[in-house]
Each structure stands twice: as structure tokens, then as C-alpha cells.
Amino acid sequence: MEYSSLFWNFNVKMRIVTFKRIQEFSNEYPQAKSALEDWYYKTCRAEWKNLVDIKKSFSSADYVGNNRFVFNIKGNNFHLVAIVIFASQKVYIRFIGTHADYDRIDCSSI
């Protein structure tokens, strides 16, 4: 199934910018694809208003400052860092990478 038709059959609440990052990362790391698709699906359907709401969807999510949140993907093998703007219900993906890549960045400023 193509990505373009994968998720369009549900009511989107959070807008994710941009799905292309998930596609590109999944092409490079196919073992992360299903976990990233799950993250995308849950996030689009969410109505987050704060960190407590995010934790209801993803218990291992952490706030790292500057509106940025870290999500463990596939049992902590990968990380996704996103800016979450609660007022406009938007999520901006800033980083997707391996655990080693994540250790080399400052997630509060990317």
C-alpha cells in the first residue's frame, strides 16, 4: 500500500508537518516503518492540549524544552523529535534518527 492512501480514512485532528520525513526515514530504515506509521496514525487522531495528553498516547514521550517533545520509536531504537503547538494542533517533525544519532543532537534547539 502506498503512503499516500495509507491514512486518509480517518478524522485528522493534529496536523503533522511533514509526513515526507517519515517516508524518507522509513526508506532508509525499513525496520522503523510500522512503528512510525503507528506514531503518525495515533498523533493525527490525537487532541493534545498538554504533556499529560501526549503521555496518554505515548507514555515514554518526554518534554525537552522549547516546545519540543521526544518520542521513542520501536522500543527506543529510534527517536522522533517534534515541535508541538497545542493551540493550533500542529506537530512539526524536527528529527528522526537512530539512538546514536539522537545522542549527538541538542533536541531543544533543532
Side-chain angles (χ1 to χ4, degrees):
M1 181 178 283
E2 289 293 318
Y3 275 115
S4 59
S5 64
L6 198 59
F7 298 108
W8 301 116
N9 294 325
F10 61 89
N11 187 14
V12 174
K13 295 178 173 108
M14 296 292 287
R15 290 198 55 220
I16 299 174
V17 182
T18 168
F19 186 71
K20 185 177 180 180
R21 286 185 186 238
I22 290 175
Q23 289 174 303
E24 292 170 349
F25 191 80
S26 294
N27 288 337
E28 187 173 347
Y29 295 93
Q31 66 273 32
K33 182 179 177 181
S34 64
L36 285 168
E37 288 173 351
D38 183 59
W39 178 87
Y40 182 83
Y41 178 78
K42 287 179 181 176
T43 301
C44 284
R45 304 234 349 139
E47 293 184 73
W48 296 333
K49 303 213 181 335
N50 52 45
L51 177 58
V52 172
D53 290 343
I54 291 175
K55 289 255 189 203
K56 288 177 186 174
S57 300
F58 302 100
S59 61
S60 63
D62 289 313
Y63 178 67
V64 292
N66 203 19
N67 294 325
R68 284 152 174 86
F69 296 84
V70 177
F71 300 87
N72 294 332
I73 305 295
K74 195 171 191 256
N76 208 25
N77 290 322
F78 304 99
H79 296 282
L80 185 149
V81 178
I83 296 172
V84 178
I85 308 298
F86 298 110
S88 62
Q89 294 288 280
K90 290 185 182 170
V91 177
Y92 297 89
I93 298 173
R94 303 297 296 151
F95 168 86
I96 305 173
T98 65
H99 193 75
D101 294 336
Y102 173 78
D103 287 342
R104 290 190 290 267
I105 65 166
D106 174 9
C107 10
S108 66
S109 65
I110 61 168

